[in-house]
Amino acid sequence: PYVELHARSAFSFLEGASLPENLIATAAERGLPAMALLDRHGVYGAPRFHMAAKQHKIKAHVGAEVSIAEGGNYPLLVATRAGYQNLCRLITTTKLRTPKKSIATAALAELQGHAQGLICLTGDENGPLALALAKDGIAGCRRLLQQLTLIFGRENVYVELQRHGDRFQEARNQAALSLARELHLPLLATNGVCYATPAERQIA
């Protein structure tokens, strides 16, 4: 069965529209066995997400999108307890040194010391793969993926595909598919969910 592994809640300010509980309720209605919440710059919604998932007997996965100074929002999915601790440390470190009203970013090199227990997705149109493709083409994407496999391990880098009927997105998907096959990396289909019901779409 399909499992959504790249959803955002209202805790992703100006991006997500639904509370974590509403995302879980809709997932339960649709018969999803599990779901992941990857809010931007934090895991604020994780406790509510977990509690709602437990009530609906859905397996909850958590993580976060972390902005990287070199460019791109990196979706990081927690795989182990150590991974959760590493993600929280990384987010805390970036926020403590960032002035108020500024976006907290981590250096790509910092991921190396916090990578254990985390799975890195290649993201959507604001993710690292899309930015590498726009800047340096296929060669840039290849370099990026090779770098990510060195940081996270080959088994912990998933080439993410989304399909929303956009021709630029389709071109990116074709490039991603080609590179995933070339580099023997796993593929992951997500929908980049930002709201639980169609009525909330205008808010997202």
mmCIF file of all heavy atoms in Angstrom, residues 58-111:
data_model
loop_
_atom_site.group_PDB
_atom_site.id
_atom_site.type_symbol
_atom_site.label_atom_id
_atom_site.label_comp_id
_atom_site.label_asym_id
_atom_site.label_seq_id
_atom_site.Cartn_x
_atom_site.Cartn_y
_atom_site.Cartn_z
ATOM 1 N N ILE A 58 -2.207 3.938 13.334
ATOM 2 C CA ILE A 58 -1.358 4.203 12.172
ATOM 3 C C ILE A 58 0.074 4.369 12.669
ATOM 4 O O ILE A 58 0.312 4.972 13.713
ATOM 5 C CB ILE A 58 -1.814 5.486 11.439
ATOM 6 C CG1 ILE A 58 -3.143 5.230 10.732
ATOM 7 C CG2 ILE A 58 -0.769 5.973 10.450
ATOM 8 C CD1 ILE A 58 -3.717 6.465 10.049
ATOM 9 N N LYS A 59 1.023 3.827 11.937
ATOM 10 C CA LYS A 59 2.427 3.975 12.315
ATOM 11 C C LYS A 59 2.910 5.364 11.928
ATOM 12 O O LYS A 59 2.811 5.768 10.775
ATOM 13 C CB LYS A 59 3.293 2.914 11.632
ATOM 14 C CG LYS A 59 4.744 2.936 12.103
ATOM 15 C CD LYS A 59 5.511 1.754 11.570
ATOM 16 C CE LYS A 59 6.966 1.770 12.027
ATOM 17 N NZ LYS A 59 7.102 1.743 13.493
ATOM 18 N N ALA A 60 3.418 6.106 12.896
ATOM 19 C CA ALA A 60 3.875 7.477 12.658
ATOM 20 C C ALA A 60 5.386 7.514 12.466
ATOM 21 O O ALA A 60 6.133 6.938 13.254
ATOM 22 C CB ALA A 60 3.489 8.368 13.831
ATOM 23 N N HIS A 61 5.815 8.190 11.418
ATOM 24 C CA HIS A 61 7.231 8.462 11.186
ATOM 25 C C HIS A 61 7.409 9.977 11.226
ATOM 26 O O HIS A 61 6.536 10.727 10.790
ATOM 27 C CB HIS A 61 7.680 7.933 9.820
ATOM 28 C CG HIS A 61 7.515 6.458 9.663
ATOM 29 N ND1 HIS A 61 8.403 5.548 10.181
ATOM 30 C CD2 HIS A 61 6.541 5.729 9.046
ATOM 31 C CE1 HIS A 61 8.004 4.314 9.881
ATOM 32 N NE2 HIS A 61 6.874 4.410 9.197
ATOM 33 N N VAL A 62 8.543 10.420 11.739
ATOM 34 C CA VAL A 62 8.773 11.863 11.816
ATOM 35 C C VAL A 62 10.140 12.221 11.246
ATOM 36 O O VAL A 62 10.998 11.360 11.035
ATOM 37 C CB VAL A 62 8.665 12.398 13.266
ATOM 38 C CG1 VAL A 62 7.267 12.217 13.805
ATOM 39 C CG2 VAL A 62 9.697 11.729 14.164
ATOM 40 N N GLY A 63 10.317 13.489 11.028
ATOM 41 C CA GLY A 63 11.568 14.021 10.529
ATOM 42 C C GLY A 63 11.403 15.517 10.394
ATOM 43 O O GLY A 63 10.554 16.124 11.069
ATOM 44 N N ALA A 64 12.177 16.138 9.525
ATOM 45 C CA ALA A 64 12.064 17.574 9.304
ATOM 46 C C ALA A 64 12.750 17.938 8.007
ATOM 47 O O ALA A 64 13.602 17.190 7.508
ATOM 48 C CB ALA A 64 12.695 18.356 10.462
ATOM 49 N N GLU A 65 12.356 19.076 7.467
ATOM 50 C CA GLU A 65 13.084 19.658 6.348
ATOM 51 C C GLU A 65 14.077 20.661 6.916
ATOM 52 O O GLU A 65 13.689 21.582 7.643
ATOM 53 C CB GLU A 65 12.129 20.365 5.380
ATOM 54 C CG GLU A 65 11.346 19.433 4.500
ATOM 55 C CD GLU A 65 10.592 20.189 3.419
ATOM 56 O OE1 GLU A 65 10.527 21.428 3.504
ATOM 57 O OE2 GLU A 65 10.075 19.543 2.508
ATOM 58 N N VAL A 66 15.336 20.470 6.598
ATOM 59 C CA VAL A 66 16.398 21.340 7.103
ATOM 60 C C VAL A 66 16.966 22.154 5.949
ATOM 61 O O VAL A 66 17.362 21.587 4.924
ATOM 62 C CB VAL A 66 17.505 20.511 7.773
ATOM 63 C CG1 VAL A 66 18.665 21.402 8.210
ATOM 64 C CG2 VAL A 66 16.943 19.750 8.977
ATOM 65 N N SER A 67 16.999 23.474 6.117
ATOM 66 C CA SER A 67 17.569 24.339 5.082
ATOM 67 C C SER A 67 19.092 24.310 5.175
ATOM 68 O O SER A 67 19.659 24.424 6.262
ATOM 69 C CB SER A 67 17.070 25.780 5.252
ATOM 70 O OG SER A 67 15.683 25.858 4.999
ATOM 71 N N ILE A 68 19.723 24.172 4.020
ATOM 72 C CA ILE A 68 21.176 24.082 3.952
ATOM 73 C C ILE A 68 21.727 25.370 3.351
ATOM 74 O O ILE A 68 21.186 25.888 2.364
ATOM 75 C CB ILE A 68 21.609 22.861 3.116
ATOM 76 C CG1 ILE A 68 21.087 21.576 3.760
ATOM 77 C CG2 ILE A 68 23.131 22.786 2.972
ATOM 78 C CD1 ILE A 68 21.563 21.323 5.178
ATOM 79 N N ALA A 69 22.792 25.874 3.947
ATOM 80 C CA ALA A 69 23.350 27.163 3.521
ATOM 81 C C ALA A 69 23.748 27.162 2.049
ATOM 82 O O ALA A 69 23.644 28.174 1.359
ATOM 83 C CB ALA A 69 24.549 27.508 4.396
ATOM 84 N N GLU A 70 24.211 26.007 1.553
ATOM 85 C CA GLU A 70 24.624 25.910 0.153
ATOM 86 C C GLU A 70 23.429 25.877 -0.798
ATOM 87 O O GLU A 70 23.599 25.932 -2.016
ATOM 88 C CB GLU A 70 25.487 24.666 -0.055
ATOM 89 C CG GLU A 70 26.862 24.732 0.600
ATOM 90 C CD GLU A 70 26.852 24.302 2.052
ATOM 91 O OE1 GLU A 70 25.758 24.192 2.663
ATOM 92 O OE2 GLU A 70 27.937 24.093 2.606
ATOM 93 N N GLY A 71 22.231 25.769 -0.252
ATOM 94 C CA GLY A 71 21.023 25.791 -1.074
ATOM 95 C C GLY A 71 20.199 24.531 -0.939
ATOM 96 O O GLY A 71 20.741 23.421 -0.921
ATOM 97 N N GLY A 72 18.897 24.690 -0.832
ATOM 98 C CA GLY A 72 17.996 23.547 -0.816
ATOM 99 C C GLY A 72 17.484 23.214 0.566
ATOM 100 O O GLY A 72 18.135 23.474 1.581
ATOM 101 N N ASN A 73 16.262 22.671 0.592
ATOM 102 C CA ASN A 73 15.659 22.171 1.820
ATOM 103 C C ASN A 73 15.756 20.649 1.796
ATOM 104 O O ASN A 73 15.171 19.998 0.930
ATOM 105 C CB ASN A 73 14.199 22.616 1.920
ATOM 106 C CG ASN A 73 14.069 24.123 1.963
ATOM 107 O OD1 ASN A 73 14.831 24.798 2.633
ATOM 108 N ND2 ASN A 73 13.096 24.662 1.241
ATOM 109 N N TYR A 74 16.488 20.104 2.744
ATOM 110 C CA TYR A 74 16.764 18.676 2.764
ATOM 111 C C TYR A 74 15.752 17.953 3.651
ATOM 112 O O TYR A 74 15.743 18.164 4.870
ATOM 113 C CB TYR A 74 18.172 18.412 3.288
ATOM 114 C CG TYR A 74 19.279 18.709 2.304
ATOM 115 C CD1 TYR A 74 19.401 19.954 1.704
ATOM 116 C CD2 TYR A 74 20.207 17.733 1.958
ATOM 117 C CE1 TYR A 74 20.409 20.232 0.794
ATOM 118 C CE2 TYR A 74 21.228 18.000 1.051
ATOM 119 C CZ TYR A 74 21.319 19.252 0.476
ATOM 120 O OH TYR A 74 22.325 19.517 -0.432
ATOM 121 N N PRO A 75 14.900 17.084 3.082
ATOM 122 C CA PRO A 75 13.975 16.310 3.903
ATOM 123 C C PRO A 75 14.732 15.163 4.576
ATOM 124 O O PRO A 75 15.306 14.302 3.908
ATOM 125 C CB PRO A 75 12.963 15.760 2.885
ATOM 126 C CG PRO A 75 13.226 16.513 1.608
ATOM 127 C CD PRO A 75 14.668 16.879 1.649
ATOM 128 N N LEU A 76 14.745 15.173 5.906
ATOM 129 C CA LEU A 76 15.466 14.158 6.675
ATOM 130 C C LEU A 76 14.456 13.364 7.486
ATOM 131 O O LEU A 76 13.739 13.904 8.330
ATOM 132 C CB LEU A 76 16.493 14.816 7.596
ATOM 133 C CG LEU A 76 17.542 15.695 6.898
ATOM 134 C CD1 LEU A 76 18.454 16.348 7.922
ATOM 135 C CD2 LEU A 76 18.348 14.872 5.895
ATOM 136 N N LEU A 77 14.409 12.076 7.247
ATOM 137 C CA LEU A 77 13.448 11.180 7.876
ATOM 138 C C LEU A 77 14.149 10.366 8.959
ATOM 139 O O LEU A 77 15.201 9.765 8.714
ATOM 140 C CB LEU A 77 12.853 10.254 6.810
ATOM 141 C CG LEU A 77 11.717 9.320 7.192
ATOM 142 C CD1 LEU A 77 10.488 10.102 7.643
ATOM 143 C CD2 LEU A 77 11.366 8.422 6.007
ATOM 144 N N VAL A 78 13.574 10.346 10.144
ATOM 145 C CA VAL A 78 14.169 9.629 11.267
ATOM 146 C C VAL A 78 13.977 8.126 11.096
ATOM 147 O O VAL A 78 12.871 7.651 10.868
ATOM 148 C CB VAL A 78 13.533 10.095 12.588
ATOM 149 C CG1 VAL A 78 13.932 9.177 13.739
ATOM 150 C CG2 VAL A 78 13.932 11.532 12.889
ATOM 151 N N ALA A 79 15.089 7.392 11.214
ATOM 152 C CA ALA A 79 15.031 5.925 11.103
ATOM 153 C C ALA A 79 15.247 5.242 12.444
ATOM 154 O O ALA A 79 14.772 4.123 12.649
ATOM 155 C CB ALA A 79 16.066 5.429 10.094
ATOM 156 N N THR A 80 15.970 5.890 13.361
ATOM 157 C CA THR A 80 16.286 5.286 14.664
ATOM 158 C C THR A 80 16.209 6.348 15.759
ATOM 159 O O THR A 80 16.107 7.543 15.488
ATOM 160 C CB THR A 80 17.712 4.697 14.666
ATOM 161 O OG1 THR A 80 18.654 5.777 14.531
ATOM 162 C CG2 THR A 80 17.908 3.705 13.525
ATOM 163 N N ARG A 81 16.300 5.885 16.991
ATOM 164 C CA ARG A 81 16.320 6.820 18.123
ATOM 165 C C ARG A 81 17.504 7.771 18.021
ATOM 166 O O ARG A 81 17.390 8.971 18.293
ATOM 167 C CB ARG A 81 16.375 6.024 19.430
ATOM 168 C CG ARG A 81 16.315 6.881 20.683
ATOM 169 C CD ARG A 81 16.395 6.026 21.937
ATOM 170 N NE ARG A 81 16.303 6.821 23.141
ATOM 171 C CZ ARG A 81 15.182 7.193 23.717
ATOM 172 N NH1 ARG A 81 14.019 6.840 23.178
ATOM 173 N NH2 ARG A 81 15.184 7.917 24.828
ATOM 174 N N ALA A 82 18.661 7.213 17.637
ATOM 175 C CA ALA A 82 19.849 8.047 17.459
ATOM 176 C C ALA A 82 19.622 9.091 16.376
ATOM 177 O O ALA A 82 20.102 10.229 16.474
ATOM 178 C CB ALA A 82 21.062 7.179 17.114
ATOM 179 N N GLY A 83 18.876 8.725 15.343
ATOM 180 C CA GLY A 83 18.560 9.663 14.276
ATOM 181 C C GLY A 83 17.718 10.825 14.777
ATOM 182 O O GLY A 83 17.945 11.977 14.384
ATOM 183 N N TYR A 84 16.753 10.536 15.636
ATOM 184 C CA TYR A 84 15.925 11.609 16.206
ATOM 185 C C TYR A 84 16.782 12.562 17.031
ATOM 186 O O TYR A 84 16.640 13.791 16.945
ATOM 187 C CB TYR A 84 14.804 11.013 17.056
ATOM 188 C CG TYR A 84 13.842 12.045 17.594
ATOM 189 C CD1 TYR A 84 12.867 12.600 16.774
ATOM 190 C CD2 TYR A 84 13.931 12.466 18.919
ATOM 191 C CE1 TYR A 84 11.988 13.558 17.264
ATOM 192 C CE2 TYR A 84 13.052 13.426 19.414
ATOM 193 C CZ TYR A 84 12.088 13.961 18.583
ATOM 194 O OH TYR A 84 11.221 14.919 19.062
ATOM 195 N N GLN A 85 17.681 11.995 17.818
ATOM 196 C CA GLN A 85 18.569 12.823 18.632
ATOM 197 C C GLN A 85 19.476 13.678 17.754
ATOM 198 O O GLN A 85 19.683 14.867 18.031
ATOM 199 C CB GLN A 85 19.399 11.926 19.554
ATOM 200 C CG GLN A 85 18.562 11.219 20.615
ATOM 201 C CD GLN A 85 19.339 10.167 21.376
ATOM 202 O OE1 GLN A 85 20.396 9.704 20.912
ATOM 203 N NE2 GLN A 85 18.847 9.784 22.538
ATOM 204 N N ASN A 86 20.004 13.087 16.702
ATOM 205 C CA ASN A 86 20.881 13.832 15.790
ATOM 206 C C ASN A 86 20.129 14.966 15.092
ATOM 207 O O ASN A 86 20.654 16.070 14.929
ATOM 208 C CB ASN A 86 21.495 12.894 14.755
ATOM 209 C CG ASN A 86 22.721 12.192 15.270
ATOM 210 O OD1 ASN A 86 23.503 12.766 16.023
ATOM 211 N ND2 ASN A 86 22.915 10.949 14.869
ATOM 212 N N LEU A 87 18.907 14.680 14.665
ATOM 213 C CA LEU A 87 18.108 15.712 13.989
ATOM 214 C C LEU A 87 17.807 16.862 14.936
ATOM 215 O O LEU A 87 17.931 18.037 14.561
ATOM 216 C CB LEU A 87 16.807 15.092 13.470
ATOM 217 C CG LEU A 87 15.863 16.041 12.736
ATOM 218 C CD1 LEU A 87 16.522 16.603 11.482
ATOM 219 C CD2 LEU A 87 14.557 15.324 12.370
ATOM 220 N N CYS A 88 17.423 16.546 16.167
ATOM 221 C CA CYS A 88 17.119 17.593 17.139
ATOM 222 C C CYS A 88 18.363 18.421 17.463
ATOM 223 O O CYS A 88 18.273 19.650 17.598
ATOM 224 C CB CYS A 88 16.550 16.974 18.412
ATOM 225 S SG CYS A 88 14.879 16.295 18.211
ATOM 226 N N ARG A 89 19.499 17.767 17.572
ATOM 227 C CA ARG A 89 20.743 18.507 17.841
ATOM 228 C C ARG A 89 21.083 19.442 16.683
ATOM 229 O O ARG A 89 21.504 20.582 16.900
ATOM 230 C CB ARG A 89 21.891 17.524 18.076
ATOM 231 C CG ARG A 89 21.827 16.768 19.392
ATOM 232 C CD ARG A 89 23.111 16.007 19.654
ATOM 233 N NE ARG A 89 22.995 15.150 20.822
ATOM 234 C CZ ARG A 89 22.885 13.817 20.777
ATOM 235 N NH1 ARG A 89 22.904 13.202 19.612
ATOM 236 N NH2 ARG A 89 22.787 13.123 21.886
ATOM 237 N N LEU A 90 20.916 18.948 15.470
ATOM 238 C CA LEU A 90 21.224 19.760 14.294
ATOM 239 C C LEU A 90 20.321 20.983 14.233
ATOM 240 O O LEU A 90 20.786 22.109 14.011
ATOM 241 C CB LEU A 90 21.055 18.908 13.024
ATOM 242 C CG LEU A 90 21.319 19.617 11.693
ATOM 243 C CD1 LEU A 90 22.770 20.069 11.598
ATOM 244 C CD2 LEU A 90 20.965 18.695 10.521
ATOM 245 N N ILE A 91 19.027 20.782 14.438
ATOM 246 C CA ILE A 91 18.073 21.895 14.385
ATOM 247 C C ILE A 91 18.352 22.894 15.507
ATOM 248 O O ILE A 91 18.349 24.113 15.293
ATOM 249 C CB ILE A 91 16.626 21.367 14.475
ATOM 250 C CG1 ILE A 91 16.278 20.589 13.204
ATOM 251 C CG2 ILE A 91 15.641 22.518 14.682
ATOM 252 C CD1 ILE A 91 14.960 19.850 13.284
ATOM 253 N N THR A 92 18.617 22.380 16.706
ATOM 254 C CA THR A 92 18.895 23.256 17.844
ATOM 255 C C THR A 92 20.147 24.091 17.603
ATOM 256 O O THR A 92 20.169 25.302 17.865
ATOM 257 C CB THR A 92 19.064 22.427 19.126
ATOM 258 O OG1 THR A 92 17.866 21.702 19.382
ATOM 259 C CG2 THR A 92 19.365 23.326 20.319
ATOM 260 N N THR A 93 21.193 23.460 17.083
ATOM 261 C CA THR A 93 22.443 24.161 16.809
ATOM 262 C C THR A 93 22.228 25.308 15.831
ATOM 263 O O THR A 93 22.724 26.428 16.037
ATOM 264 C CB THR A 93 23.493 23.196 16.237
ATOM 265 O OG1 THR A 93 23.778 22.183 17.208
ATOM 266 C CG2 THR A 93 24.784 23.919 15.899
ATOM 267 N N THR A 94 21.485 25.049 14.778
ATOM 268 C CA THR A 94 21.269 26.089 13.766
ATOM 269 C C THR A 94 20.413 27.225 14.304
ATOM 270 O O THR A 94 20.650 28.398 13.993
ATOM 271 C CB THR A 94 20.620 25.504 12.501
ATOM 272 O OG1 THR A 94 19.340 24.944 12.824
ATOM 273 C CG2 THR A 94 21.493 24.414 11.893
ATOM 274 N N LYS A 95 19.419 26.901 15.121
ATOM 275 C CA LYS A 95 18.532 27.945 15.639
ATOM 276 C C LYS A 95 19.225 28.822 16.675
ATOM 277 O O LYS A 95 18.980 30.028 16.746
ATOM 278 C CB LYS A 95 17.265 27.311 16.222
ATOM 279 C CG LYS A 95 16.309 26.786 15.152
ATOM 280 C CD LYS A 95 15.008 26.327 15.739
ATOM 281 C CE LYS A 95 14.034 25.887 14.662
ATOM 282 N NZ LYS A 95 13.596 26.994 13.805
ATOM 283 N N LEU A 96 20.074 28.242 17.481
ATOM 284 C CA LEU A 96 20.752 29.005 18.521
ATOM 285 C C LEU A 96 21.680 30.075 17.951
ATOM 286 O O LEU A 96 21.896 31.120 18.576
ATOM 287 C CB LEU A 96 21.539 28.064 19.439
ATOM 288 C CG LEU A 96 20.716 27.258 20.444
ATOM 289 C CD1 LEU A 96 21.612 26.281 21.196
ATOM 290 C CD2 LEU A 96 19.995 28.180 21.427
ATOM 291 N N ARG A 97 22.240 29.815 16.787
ATOM 292 C CA ARG A 97 23.191 30.778 16.229
ATOM 293 C C ARG A 97 22.552 31.725 15.209
ATOM 294 O O ARG A 97 23.231 32.590 14.657
ATOM 295 C CB ARG A 97 24.345 30.025 15.560
ATOM 296 C CG ARG A 97 23.966 29.300 14.294
ATOM 297 C CD ARG A 97 25.135 28.574 13.700
ATOM 298 N NE ARG A 97 24.777 27.886 12.480
ATOM 299 C CZ ARG A 97 25.194 26.669 12.155
ATOM 300 N NH1 ARG A 97 26.000 26.010 12.962
ATOM 301 N NH2 ARG A 97 24.823 26.120 11.017
ATOM 302 N N THR A 98 21.259 31.546 14.948
ATOM 303 C CA THR A 98 20.590 32.346 13.924
ATOM 304 C C THR A 98 19.864 33.529 14.542
ATOM 305 O O THR A 98 19.087 33.365 15.485
ATOM 306 C CB THR A 98 19.577 31.479 13.140
ATOM 307 O OG1 THR A 98 20.258 30.358 12.575
ATOM 308 C CG2 THR A 98 18.923 32.277 12.034
ATOM 309 N N PRO A 99 20.077 34.736 14.037
ATOM 310 C CA PRO A 99 19.359 35.908 14.560
ATOM 311 C C PRO A 99 17.849 35.752 14.372
ATOM 312 O O PRO A 99 17.384 35.041 13.472
ATOM 313 C CB PRO A 99 19.894 37.065 13.699
ATOM 314 C CG PRO A 99 21.186 36.567 13.137
ATOM 315 C CD PRO A 99 21.019 35.095 12.961
ATOM 316 N N LYS A 100 17.106 36.435 15.218
ATOM 317 C CA LYS A 100 15.649 36.396 15.099
ATOM 318 C C LYS A 100 15.210 36.914 13.739
ATOM 319 O O LYS A 100 15.833 37.802 13.162
ATOM 320 C CB LYS A 100 15.006 37.236 16.200
ATOM 321 C CG LYS A 100 15.110 36.610 17.585
ATOM 322 C CD LYS A 100 14.372 37.444 18.624
ATOM 323 C CE LYS A 100 14.437 36.779 19.993
ATOM 324 N NZ LYS A 100 13.726 37.567 21.017
ATOM 325 N N LYS A 101 14.133 36.343 13.235
ATOM 326 C CA LYS A 101 13.529 36.691 11.948
ATOM 327 C C LYS A 101 14.389 36.265 10.753
ATOM 328 O O LYS A 101 14.104 36.629 9.624
ATOM 329 C CB LYS A 101 13.220 38.188 11.863
ATOM 330 C CG LYS A 101 12.216 38.662 12.906
ATOM 331 C CD LYS A 101 11.887 40.127 12.726
ATOM 332 C CE LYS A 101 10.870 40.587 13.775
ATOM 333 N NZ LYS A 101 10.522 42.017 13.626
ATOM 334 N N SER A 102 15.439 35.497 11.012
ATOM 335 C CA SER A 102 16.258 34.942 9.935
ATOM 336 C C SER A 102 16.016 33.440 9.848
ATOM 337 O O SER A 102 15.608 32.808 10.830
ATOM 338 C CB SER A 102 17.745 35.204 10.182
ATOM 339 O OG SER A 102 18.010 36.594 10.194
ATOM 340 N N ILE A 103 16.238 32.881 8.674
ATOM 341 C CA ILE A 103 16.033 31.446 8.475
ATOM 342 C C ILE A 103 17.262 30.683 8.952
ATOM 343 O O ILE A 103 18.392 30.982 8.546
ATOM 344 C CB ILE A 103 15.763 31.133 6.988
ATOM 345 C CG1 ILE A 103 14.452 31.801 6.557
ATOM 346 C CG2 ILE A 103 15.691 29.635 6.758
ATOM 347 C CD1 ILE A 103 14.161 31.665 5.077
ATOM 348 N N ALA A 104 17.043 29.717 9.821
ATOM 349 C CA ALA A 104 18.148 28.909 10.331
ATOM 350 C C ALA A 104 18.627 27.947 9.240
ATOM 351 O O ALA A 104 17.825 27.256 8.620
ATOM 352 C CB ALA A 104 17.696 28.123 11.557
ATOM 353 N N THR A 105 19.922 27.933 9.006
ATOM 354 C CA THR A 105 20.485 27.031 8.005
ATOM 355 C C THR A 105 21.660 26.274 8.592
ATOM 356 O O THR A 105 22.363 26.757 9.476
ATOM 357 C CB THR A 105 20.968 27.804 6.755
ATOM 358 O OG1 THR A 105 21.979 28.737 7.144
ATOM 359 C CG2 THR A 105 19.821 28.530 6.083
ATOM 360 N N ALA A 106 21.875 25.086 8.072
ATOM 361 C CA ALA A 106 23.025 24.267 8.447
ATOM 362 C C ALA A 106 23.963 24.185 7.252
ATOM 363 O O ALA A 106 23.518 24.210 6.100
ATOM 364 C CB ALA A 106 22.573 22.870 8.851
ATOM 365 N N ALA A 107 25.240 24.094 7.511
ATOM 366 C CA ALA A 107 26.202 23.858 6.434
ATOM 367 C C ALA A 107 26.117 22.398 6.026
ATOM 368 O O ALA A 107 25.848 21.525 6.853
ATOM 369 C CB ALA A 107 27.611 24.204 6.892
ATOM 370 N N LEU A 108 26.331 22.143 4.760
ATOM 371 C CA LEU A 108 26.278 20.763 4.274
ATOM 372 C C LEU A 108 27.256 19.876 5.041
ATOM 373 O O LEU A 108 26.956 18.716 5.340
ATOM 374 C CB LEU A 108 26.587 20.724 2.775
ATOM 375 C CG LEU A 108 26.339 19.400 2.051
ATOM 376 C CD1 LEU A 108 24.901 18.938 2.226
ATOM 377 C CD2 LEU A 108 26.662 19.548 0.566
ATOM 378 N N ALA A 109 28.412 20.441 5.395
ATOM 379 C CA ALA A 109 29.410 19.668 6.136
ATOM 380 C C ALA A 109 28.887 19.248 7.510
ATOM 381 O O ALA A 109 29.308 18.210 8.054
ATOM 382 C CB ALA A 109 30.685 20.485 6.283
ATOM 383 N N GLU A 110 27.957 20.020 8.085
ATOM 384 C CA GLU A 110 27.412 19.678 9.403
ATOM 385 C C GLU A 110 26.553 18.414 9.366
ATOM 386 O O GLU A 110 26.395 17.744 10.390
ATOM 387 C CB GLU A 110 26.578 20.843 9.939
ATOM 388 C CG GLU A 110 27.392 22.017 10.428
ATOM 389 C CD GLU A 110 26.517 23.103 11.013
ATOM 390 O OE1 GLU A 110 25.855 23.811 10.217
ATOM 391 O OE2 GLU A 110 26.489 23.260 12.244
ATOM 392 N N LEU A 111 26.002 18.123 8.209
ATOM 393 C CA LEU A 111 25.184 16.909 8.110
ATOM 394 C C LEU A 111 26.009 15.668 8.401
ATOM 395 O O LEU A 111 25.493 14.677 8.916
ATOM 396 C CB LEU A 111 24.563 16.808 6.713
ATOM 397 C CG LEU A 111 23.507 17.841 6.341
ATOM 398 C CD1 LEU A 111 22.980 17.567 4.941
ATOM 399 C CD2 LEU A 111 22.369 17.851 7.340
#
